[in-house]
Each structure stands twice: as C-alpha cells, then as structure tokens.
Amino acid sequence: MPHVLKPLLAFAILALLSPAARAERLLLSNEKDNTITVVDAASLKILQTVPVGARPRGLIVSKDGKSVYICTSDADHIEVLDLATLKVTGNLPSGADPETFAISPDGDTLYVANENDNTITVVDVPGARVIGAVSTGVEPEGMAVSPDGKLLINTSETTSMVHFINPETRKMIGGVLVGQRPRYAAFTPDGKQVWVSSEVAGSVAVIDVATRKIVNTIHFQIPGVPRETVQAVGINITNDGKTAFVALGPSNRVAVVDVATGAVDKYLLVGQRVWHMAFSQDGSRLYTANGVSNDMSVIDVAARKVLKSVPVGEEPWGVVDVP
Amino acid sequence: MRSAEDRRRMGWGATRLVPALMLAATLAPAAAFAQAGAAQSGAPVEITYLALDAPRPRPSTELTPPPKDVGLAGARLALADNATTGRFTGQEFKLDEAVGADAAAVTAAFKARLAAGARNFVTDLPPPLLLALADLPEAKGATLIDATSTDDALRGADCRRNVLHMLPSRAMLADALMQYLVVKNWRHIMLVQGKDADDALYAAAIRHAAKKFQVGIVADKPWSFNAAAQQADTGHFQVNTEVSNLTQGISYDVLVVADEADNFGDQLGYRSFLPRPVVGTQGLTPSAWSPMFDEMGSRQLQLRFLALAKRMMTDRDYGAWLAVRAFGEAATRTASADPAAMAAFLHGPDFTVAGYKGPPFSIRPWDGQLRQPVLLADDRSLVSISPQPGFLHQFYETDTLGTDKPETTCHMS
C-alpha cells in the first residue's frame, strides 16, 4: 500500500473502532520472551507487558472471568494471572511441559496435554491439585471439552489420532485416525461435531460426535502459496455455528469456512505463522497470534477483513479476550 | 560423513537445548493402560532391524567417541511411537534387532528371518550387501527400507523394487548445498576430495550439482596429507601449513570438502590461505537431520530421542526412525499386519510420513526415494533448509533435489 494512504487508513480504522469502545483486553502469550502482552481492545494500545514463567503458551480465562490460566511449559506448571492486578498470584500443578489445555464447563477442572509424556493431566482448580491422568497417544496437543461437559477430546500429533475420553471415568472410549499431526480440536456450538486441524496434512477433519466418524475433510489450496506452508492449526467457530476460522500457520492466512458445507469462502492475509486465535466478547472481532512477525492481527468478522496488526512480544503463541 | 556427523551430533551441546525437566520425562507405560474398544486384531506387526556392525574408522579426535547405538536408537524410538499408536488401533508392534559382525552373519540372519516368515526389514547396511540381500530369490516378497545409505547407485542403475530409501541421496545433499550457494551468489568453489571411495562419490555429486546449478569449480584437488598428523604433538602447525599451501593462489568463494569418514575435513576451517568458509561434509553441511534443528515440531522428536538415547539424534538415527515409522504408518493406515498389504501401501500414492520438516514425505515412485527437505546446518546453528525459495518444480518442490523422473537411470522390472 502506498505510504501516503497508511496514516489515512489507520485513522479510518481507529475511527471505526472507537465508537464501539469496550472495556475489553487481549492477552497474548509470548513463548520466546516469557511475557504476556496486555492490549486494550478499543485502542489496540499495549497496556502492559507482564513477565511470567518460562515459555508461556496455552491460555484460558477462568469461569468467573477474574483470572487467566497460563501454560508456562518450561516451568512445568500453570500460572494463575489475576486480571485486576495483572500479577501472577499462584500456580497450579500440570505435569511436565504443559502446552495446551481445556476447562470443564463448571470451571473446576483443567485437562492438560503433557506433550513429552503422552499423558493428559487432570487438575482440580479449587484444590490446586492433580486428581488424575490419562495415557494417550504420542505428543498430545489439542484439547477440547464438549459444551455439555460430557466428552473430552484430545489429539495426539505423532499418533495422528483424535481420542474420545469420558471425563468422568477418565477412560478412552474411542479414537479416530485423521491427517498427520492433529493440532487443535473445536466443538461446534451445538456439540454435534468436532473439528480437528492437521498441521502436516494441512487439512481439517469434521467428525460427527455421535458416530465418531469423519463426515468431511477440508483442504486448503491457496493460489501462489506453497502447499507445505499451509499448516492448519487454530480453529474458532462463531457462536451462531455458521462460520469457522482456521489459522493456516506459515502460509500467513486464516481461512473462512462455511460450517454447513465445509467450503472455503475466503483466505485472509494476516501476520506470519498464525497459530491461535480468539473472538471478542461480542464476536465481531477475531484476534490472531502471529508467531514469526511478532504481532496480532485484528479481523472484522462480519466484513471478513483484516483491519490492523499490533506488534506484541516475541513469538506470540496464543491469545484470549478478557472482560 | 557418518562419523563426522555422529561425532558432532551426539552432542555435548545437548544440555544446552534441553531443560532439566526432560530427564524426568519418560514414555508412558503402555502396559498399565486398559484401552476400551481397541480389541487386539490378530498378529503383531513385526519389523526386523538388520545391521552390519562394521569396524568404524578411527575418529580424528578421541575426545568425542562415536556412540554405539547409532541407527538402532532411532528404530527403538519409532517402535515406541508405533506401539503407543497401536494401543489405540489394537495393533502390536515388535522390533527384532539383528546385528551381524560380518556380511556372512548378516546374510544368515536375513535368511533365517525370511524362512521364519519375516517380511518387513529396516536395514543399516553398505550398498553391496544390501543389494546382495535384496536380490536373494526368497527376498522377493520382502520390503527392505534402507535407513542409512546415501548411495545414488542404489536409487539409479542398482535400484530394486523391494528397496526403499529414507535418507537423502548424495545427489540430493549436493543439490541442497548448491541451491544455497546460488542464493548467496557464492558461485566459485574449490573442491577438496579425500582418499576414500565414498569421498569420490560425494565429490562426484558435488561436481554434478555444480554443473546443474551453474556453480563454477575453480579448483578440484585431492587431499593427500597424513590424516593422523593432527593428533601428534604440535601436529596442528603442519596441518595449518599444508592447508595454506593447498589453497594458496586460488580465488574462490567457498571451500567444499568431500570427507565422509571425517578424516581431515574439520582441519580445513580457519587454516586456508584466504579467509573462506568450509562447506560440504564438514562446516556448513547438508544433511537429513541436525541437533540444531527445532522448527516444525522437531523439538518434540529431539527431546523424545534424547530421553531415550541420552544423546542427540544423528542422520542415521533419523533414517531408522523414519523407516520404522513408515512401517507403522503402513500398518495403521491399512489397519493390517499383512506385509503384502503394507508393502502395497508403502509403494502406493497414499503413503506419507510426517518427518518434522514441514510437508508430509512421500516416496518417489521412480526410484524408491523418500522426498524431503534437506537441512543446512553447522555445529551450532541451522543455517537454511533446501529447496531454496524460487527453485520451483512442476509437482513437488523437493524434487528439485536429486534425480528427477526424466533423468532417472532406475528401471525397475
């Protein structure tokens, strides 16, 4: 874009954003410089950079919205960040090398993927203790809990499987083989499907939860972009269950997918190596963590346009939107 | 190249890469886990690791002796990976380790396994022995996955239908290096070749690649100095003078060395007449694997290997890991332990294996070579990964490395 237009455009975007000013903040985990960047959602200005434990990756907001749980992978625990003070107020045990996790609908249980141990650790949040473990495939990564809390999903990257686990008994109840290196699992809001991204295969498997069968496999072909850079990772599905956004890693694109048909409607150019994403509270914005360009892209969900990029810390991995 | 890489990559640098927590991390005990809904379905998938425990050349320094389980450790890790998957698919995997002290012992072990019904073999063998085994009449229904050779003839005129190759060939390695030199616009090279037959093959690959990518060889010289001199007291003075003399009066951008056994290549850097970098079998080295590589999820493989073998992963470990994983993928994706079904899948268009270097790896049907990017690394850093951007191919960009279909001399009957 010509340089003369840039300030104008930035001004226009700010003008667009300002009326909808929300007291929302975005937290990004920067896995290389061991910080959390706190960004004001309205102004897109950095409010604070919070030092945390080594290699922060997965982020989840607590049920009461007062804190954020952070997988500090190389510190081998989960840190609890208080959102009022922006200070780490405590740790939760997690097993070794926690990378990603999922939370039960009641907010009391965390299911943590221990990537190097082929294990899922079950953590009781109020008691701050480990209450169980599930042996799983090689390199567990993606974690998701169904909307009704009755099903736990885990993906294992080298095993290339989606594991169905009963969270109550902590027993495997089934598994589905998918494309290579499954990274992320997301339920549709009705809980009837689980979408699983495969990084190396560069595809998304749509799995029917009731039958545990793949009903569709979505492939991504971006004109002029080498196939090997298309690595599907984060998946965020809109609350109305109609649209899925799929982060495609080093292809620097986010795919917009029609949930009903599985058709890719559009590719949005974002920062480099986009992995994980988060919707704003009202669902009008989607924020992406771009690990190589060290920034966050802001997407207008309705218009399907990238509005702005915001520099953050080093190697941003994930992002959450907090009230 | 073997011992050079083994020595370098077994790595004292390991502790730098790995946090202490990894030492505590172990593979989850498979037996303690009751898997609902995964009934054991028949016979186990049996894989035989067939290796010649050849006497190793004396390393150029005794301070970093080569590890004894190179190759085998990679196969063992892949078995553990396959077995974990097998718990969920109801498949059991077994690795039979058959290591012979000479060709006769290896041949006898191979024949005995074939007679007992084994058909899935991972090999760590010199090319002539591999060929002799593949050509045995009783080996016709067997699949031999060559985990460790880089020999181009095995992928060319000596190719066999029942043999697949996991590591990049010398031609692929040389092309990967040459693409990088072209990108850097370092187009004038001096080549120094060691005395061994393998060095001649490596140098030939370099010459071929230089021609292909229009890189000029301004000098092409043999290394004839006594390799042991370095270990004599004050020997380094002699070596320095020798390298200086060898390179004097020649104007070149990089010194390319062909010394697969690591006899002298490490003694060239910092000693040449002009200050020029060393590339090839030492210095900046094209290779399948490097301990300095931790992109694309490879960190997990590096850490799993380190936890198992207590050292860093070498090329040959990586090749053996890929080979056992290839059999694992074939068994998992066909839901079968039948070697014929697995072999058909391995040779078919649907086979891929995830090798932690980006795109899924598939097999080139014309010569049985596993497609893959090639790393360019020195002892302390990953420098680049080839194919370099801009080297395009009609079907697979990795097919800009090595012998492409139109040029192949492999004609499988």
Side-chain angles (χ1 to χ4, degrees):
Chain A
M1 147 186 355
H3 285 296
V4 285
L5 283 184
K6 266 191 185 167
L8 276 176
L9 189 65
F11 180 78
I13 288 164
L14 283 175
L16 275 174
L17 290 172
S18 306
R22 294 151 289 188
E24 271 176 53
R25 291 172 293 177
L26 302 157
L27 273 62
L28 292 101
S29 55
N30 304 307
E31 66 173 307
K32 190 145 193 194
D33 64 12
N34 305 330
T35 62
I36 300 290
T37 305
V38 184
V39 180
D40 177 55
S43 67
L44 295 177
K45 293 239 180 336
I46 292 180
L47 297 172
Q48 202 168 325
T49 301
V50 184
V52 294
R55 205 173 186 203
R57 294 194 277 179
L59 299 170
I60 291 181
V61 187
S62 67
K63 172 88 170 162
D64 62 12
K66 288 180 179 164
S67 43
V68 164
Y69 307 120
I70 307 163
C71 283
T72 41
S73 305
D74 285 357
D76 296 333
H77 58 228
I78 292 165
E79 298 190 351
V80 183
L81 181 77
D82 178 57
L83 285 171
T85 60
L86 292 177
K87 290 206 173 358
V88 174
T89 53
N91 297 336
L92 296 171
S94 65
D97 194 25
E99 178 175 5
T100 66
F101 50 3
I103 194 163
S104 59
D106 65 10
D108 285 346
T109 312
L110 287 171
Y111 303 95
V112 187
N114 304 116
E115 192 166 26
N116 293 321
D117 285 1
N118 307 344
T119 302
I120 296 160
T121 298
V122 186
V123 181
D124 173 53
V125 176
R129 65 201 175 102
V130 172
I131 52 171
V134 184
S135 278
T136 185
V138 183
E139 291 178 56
E141 170 109 8
M143 301 291 306
V145 178
S146 61
D148 63 6
K150 290 185 176 155
L151 183 62
L152 175 65
I153 294 287
N154 159 248
T155 70
S156 53
E157 293 175 311
T158 292
T159 299
S160 295
M161 280 185 91
V162 179
H163 305 281
F164 287 67
I165 300 161
N166 180 333
E168 207 163 305
T169 62
R170 291 167 211 149
K171 293 265 186 272
M172 292 270 176
I173 53 175
V176 178
L177 208 56
V178 294
Q180 283 175 343
R181 285 194 82 74
R183 282 288 299 264
Y184 192 85
F187 279 91
T188 50
D190 61 9
K192 287 182 178 163
Q193 290 181 341
V194 62
W195 287 40
V196 174
S197 60
S198 287
E199 179 183 10
V200 166
S203 59
V204 167
V206 179
I207 300 167
D208 179 67
V209 171
T211 60
R212 291 181 215 141
K213 296 255 187 283
I214 297 175
V215 291
N216 192 13
T217 302
I218 301 162
H219 296 277
F220 305 96
Q221 278 154 346
I222 312 173
V225 171
R227 153 71 191 85
E228 59 267 30
T229 66
V230 179
Q231 300 172 1
V233 183
I235 303 171
N236 291 54
I237 301 174
T238 53
N239 272 336
D240 62 9
K242 287 185 177 163
T243 311
F245 291 82
V246 181
L248 298 176
S251 72
N252 312 333
R253 303 294 198 287
V254 171
V256 186
V257 182
D258 183 84
V259 171
T261 64
V264 181
D265 291 341
K266 198 172 178 187
Y267 293 102
L268 305 174
L269 181 64
V270 294
Q272 292 170 14
R273 204 207 71 184
V274 52
W275 268 2
H276 293 287
M277 307 177 290
F279 284 117
S280 60
Q281 302 290 321
D282 66 2
S284 68
R285 298 274 185 273
L286 181 70
Y287 305 98
T288 74
N290 312 318
V292 170
S293 50
N294 296 336
D295 58 9
M296 173 185 82
S297 298
V298 184
I299 294 170
D300 181 325
V301 171
R304 299 179 177 185
K305 278 200 171 117
V306 181
L307 299 177
K308 197 172 188 332
S309 64
V310 180
V312 292
E314 282 181 57
E315 270 191 42
W317 186 99
V319 53
V320 287
D321 182 291
V322 300
Chain B
M1 180 160 45
R2 281 184 177 185
S3 73
E5 269 163 20
D6 296 349
R7 181 167 63 73
R8 176 178 314 126
R9 283 147 206 236
M10 62 180 284
W12 308 114
T15 46
R16 199 179 67 99
L17 180 70
V18 180
L21 68 103
M22 267 320 297
L23 301 174
T26 52
L27 297 167
F33 181 69
Q35 165 62 26
Q40 291 291 324
S41 54
V45 179
E46 303 203 23
I47 302 164
T48 304
Y49 184 87
L50 198 62
L52 175 69
D53 186 19
R56 295 182 153 267
R58 192 168 171 228
S60 61
T61 165
E62 306 286 356
L63 301 178
T64 51
K68 293 191 189 332
D69 59 350
V70 174
L72 197 52
R76 286 172 180 158
L77 179 64
L79 179 79
D81 289 349
N82 287 352
T84 306
T85 301
R87 280 164 38 221
F88 304 108
T89 56
Q91 284 179 314
E92 190 189 344
F93 291 87
K94 286 186 173 168
L95 186 69
D96 175 15
E97 299 174 5
V99 181
D102 54 37
V106 172
T107 307
F110 183 58
K111 285 182 172 172
R113 262 80 181 175
L114 285 171
R119 292 292 180 270
N120 307 322
F121 293 89
V122 172
T123 67
D124 175 16
L125 302 171
L129 182 54
L130 176 57
L131 271 187
L133 298 188
D135 286 342
L136 289 172
E138 58 264 50
K140 204 173 178 197
T143 301
L144 287 78
I145 303 189
D146 161 25
T148 57
S149 98
T150 56
D151 189 68
D152 283 291
L154 287 179
R155 285 111 167 136
D158 291 339
C159 69
R160 296 293 185 269
R161 187 168 288 283
N162 56 354
V163 182
L164 299 170
H165 308 280
M166 295 294 106
L167 288 187
S169 66
R170 289 187 182 94
M172 291 168 73
L173 298 174
D175 287 352
L177 178 62
M178 240 21 95
Q179 285 188 3
Y180 183 71
L181 297 187
V182 168
V183 165
K184 299 300 289 182
N185 206 17
W186 297 340
R187 286 180 178 271
H188 302 283
I189 63 172
M190 173 173 178
L191 178 61
V192 180
Q193 178 188 324
K195 289 176 200 168
D196 295 349
D198 285 347
D199 301 340
L201 295 171
Y202 194 92
I206 292 288
R207 287 182 200 107
H208 186 267
K211 194 171 175 190
K212 182 168 160 184
F213 292 103
Q214 297 177 307
V215 169
I217 302 178
V218 295
D220 189 336
K221 296 199 173 188
W223 176 262
S224 51
F225 193 62
N226 181 1
Q230 176 80 35
Q231 276 144 322
D233 291 342
T234 72
H236 63 278
F237 287 115
Q238 286 177 307
V239 171
N240 212 318
T241 307
E242 189 65 23
V243 177
S244 215
N245 289 344
L246 184 78
T247 54
Q248 190 168 2
I250 302 165
S251 172
Y252 59 95
D253 296 321
V254 291
L255 188 58
V256 182
V257 55
D259 170 28
E260 293 202 355
D262 194 29
N263 288 319
F264 65 95
D266 281 317
Q267 299 166 23
L268 300 179
Y270 314 106
R271 298 158 180 91
S272 52
F273 188 81
L274 294 171
R276 295 287 181 269
V278 174
V279 304
T281 50
Q282 284 78 23
L284 177 66
T285 303
S287 61
W289 197 247
S290 159
M292 291 301 113
F293 177 57
D294 71 348
E295 295 176 15
M296 303 177 201
S298 60
R299 180 184 160 104
Q300 272 69 49
L301 181 61
Q302 302 272 30
L303 295 184
R304 274 210 308 289
F305 185 87
L306 181 65
L308 181 90
K310 311 285 185 265
R311 61 178 175 82
M312 294 307 287
M313 191 178 223
T314 68
D315 271 26
R316 293 200 297 151
D317 295 312
Y318 180 65
W321 182 87
L322 282 172
V324 174
R325 282 288 300 124
F327 279 126
E329 277 296 305
T332 305
R333 301 281 167 179
T334 59
S336 169
D338 171 27
M342 287 166 58
F345 181 79
L346 284 168
H347 285 91
D350 295 329
F351 167 72
T352 60
V353 62
Y356 297 86
K357 291 193 287 188
F361 302 170
S362 54
I363 297 276
R364 291 176 183 162
W366 60 88
D367 63 358
Q369 169 70 50
L370 190 70
R371 294 184 173 98
Q372 63 197 287
V374 170
L375 307 182
L376 294 162
D378 67 10
D379 290 0
R380 298 295 288 181
S381 71
L382 178 83
V383 176
S384 192
I385 303 177
S386 287
Q388 294 295 315
F391 288 89
L392 302 176
H393 190 276
Q394 189 178 1
F395 303 112
Y396 293 89
E397 284 182 16
T398 46
D399 286 352
T400 62
L401 305 175
T403 310
D404 202 357
K405 194 176 183 182
E407 295 95 45
T408 186
T409 52
C410 167
H411 303 291
M412 291 188 221
S413 53

